[in-house]
Amino acid sequence: MSVIIGFLFMAAVYLILSRSLLRVIIGTGLLSHGAHLLILTMGGFAGPAPPVVADGVTDYVDPLPQALILTAIVISFGVTAFFLVMAYRAYQELETDNMTLLKGNDEHD
């Protein structure tokens, strides 16, 4: 699992450092997925144990990491949708997704 997490972080950093705005957005999505897997892994696996405490259950999984991951997935979906809309609007206005051309210069503020 740590190899998969490392690969996701590596691919995310590579995409975030690229010049294309769409690749940056995909990189942030991969980064959030890597963070979700990292939180899930650090929370520990208990096999088939349920994540809730019920009557008669002695072995259970801590539900806090799963709740945090579920919340983080919803937030990252919303942020990714917002980034995509902003990138689409910037592409409509400027007709490019190249980050160096999107920065502008002193003449075009």
Side-chain angles (χ1 to χ4, degrees), residues 41-55:
T41 303
M42 299 317 275
F45 298 116
V52 295
V53 179
D55 293 336

Side-chain angles (χ1 to χ4, degrees), residues 56-92:
V57 176
T58 58
D59 188 27
Y60 59 92
V61 176
D62 184 20
L64 184 63
Q66 295 173 9
L68 289 173
I69 291 169
L70 183 61
T71 305
I73 288 171
V74 172
I75 291 171
S76 68
F77 177 73
V79 168
T80 302
F82 178 72
F83 282 166
L84 285 172
V85 169
M86 292 298 291
Y88 180 68
R89 183 69 179 137
Y91 183 76
Q92 280 183 335

Side-chain angles (χ1 to χ4, degrees), residues 1-15 27 30-31 33-35 37:
M1 190 61 95
S2 62
V3 172
I4 294 171
I5 293 169
F7 180 76
L8 283 174
F9 278 118
M10 182 258 323
V13 168
Y14 175 76
L15 289 173
L30 283 179
L31 187 67
H33 287 307
L37 281 177

Side-chain angles (χ1 to χ4, degrees), residues 22-52:
L22 187 59
R23 287 184 180 189
V24 171
I25 294 171
I26 293 171
T28 57
L30 283 179
L31 187 67
S32 68
H33 287 307
H36 299 158
L37 281 177
L38 181 65
I39 293 171
L40 184 65
T41 303
M42 299 317 275
F45 298 116
V52 295

